Amino acid sequence: MATHPDVSSILFTQPQLQIKIEELGKTITKDYSGKSLVCICILKGAFMFFSELIKHIDLPIQIEFMALSSYGNASQSSGNVEILLDLRHDIKDKHILIVDDIIDSGLTITFLKDFMKYRHPASLSICSLLRVKSEVQLDAQIKYIGFEIPKNTFVVGFGLDYAEKYRTLPYIGILKEELYK
Ligand code: IMP
Ligand code: MG
């Protein structure tokens, strides 16, 4: 597939993503061996990553979805996290894996972790496909990370958007700066 004209370069190709996701799935399978797991997809950004990842986790899994919003249509986190879609099932005493697309400032995931704590799961871990390398990031203790990416880049594709565009690209690419600055 040709690179989208709004993408300056491809950071991770589909095969690279596939290999990494298989690895993550195997690690999670090993870590939770003998247990069952509730995997929560954080919509919309994580949907593609999530659907690949759960195919590689060889455990009894319940899948759930939550939707959060912290960006609106901007390219920086506002810190005001809003829950747009919440769980319908009780997660008390269950092992929870939150699956997200990208941790940037860490604000969104830190908020979510605190919020979920009051529901008393047996355990709560986070798996994110990407994490932005940064010294000032909140320490949200992300247990599973696919790739670290340099800061000051805005990435799109494989579920990630800018103003609701580019989510369906099969790779992760860097969005041309002039499109969001
Ligand atoms: P944080 O609160 O700054 O960690 O931002 C987390 C959320 O912002 C992610 O779940 C994404 O939805 C979105 N986000 C952050 N950086 C990017 C990016 O480079 N591309 C697309 N979405 C991003
Ligand atoms: Mg997100």
Side-chain angles (χ1 to χ4, degrees):
M1 190 197 252
T3 308
H4 192 287
D6 295 351
V7 167
S8 61
S9 64
I10 295 183
L11 211 48
F12 306 111
T13 63
Q14 201 169 14
Q16 286 172 325
L17 291 166
Q18 199 60 43
I19 290 166
K20 183 61 78 174
I21 294 170
E22 282 185 39
E23 262 173 44
L24 285 170
K26 280 192 190 141
T27 308
I28 293 165
T29 304
K30 223 193 294 146
D31 289 356
Y32 289 90
S33 159
K35 296 179 180 134
S36 58
L37 193 55
V38 179
C39 293
I40 305 177
C41 173
I42 305 303
L43 298 172
K44 300 176 195 170
F47 84 99
M48 234 184 242
F49 172 45
F50 184 79
S51 63
E52 282 308 310
L53 181 68
I54 54 177
K55 292 179 207 165
H56 300 287
I57 303 177
D58 190 12
L59 297 169
I61 289 182
Q62 179 186 334
I63 64 162
E64 295 291 341
F65 297 88
M66 287 181 84
L68 308 177
S69 167
S70 64
Y71 270 42
N73 281 343
S75 69
Q76 287 223 322
S77 205
S78 65
N80 286 324
V81 184
E82 204 187 331
I83 299 201
L84 305 176
L85 174 74
D86 202 353
L87 303 174
R88 298 277 152 141
H89 294 103
D90 192 6
I91 57 162
K92 189 170 182 293
D93 301 328
K94 299 196 170 161
H95 295 286
I96 305 298
L97 183 70
I98 293 174
V99 180
D100 207 352
D101 53 357
I102 178 167
I103 314 291
D104 190 350
S105 66
L107 280 168
T108 311
I109 208 68
T110 303
F111 168 89
L112 184 62
K113 249 188 146 174
D114 283 347
F115 179 83
M116 299 298 272
K117 207 167 61 185
Y118 296 104
R119 297 179 169 179
H120 305 289
S123 69
L124 179 69
S125 297
I126 295 159
C127 175
S128 184
L129 179 59
L130 306 174
R131 182 169 68 180
V132 178
K133 262 191 222 143
S134 169
E135 312 79 55
V136 293
Q137 195 166 61
L138 292 170
D139 180 21
Q141 292 173 0
I142 316 302
K143 188 158 179 201
Y144 305 102
I145 296 166
F147 299 98
E148 292 214 302
I149 63 167
K151 56 181 178 181
N152 303 322
T153 54
F154 197 86
V155 295
V156 294
F158 206 71
L160 288 92
D161 75 312
Y162 177 66
E164 295 304 324
K165 285 164 77 181
Y166 318 110
R167 288 197 199 277
T168 58
L169 298 178
Y171 50 82
I172 291 186
I174 299 178
L175 187 63
K176 286 183 178 165
E177 258 187 35
E178 62 266 30
L179 293 168
Y180 65 93
K181 280 208 167 145

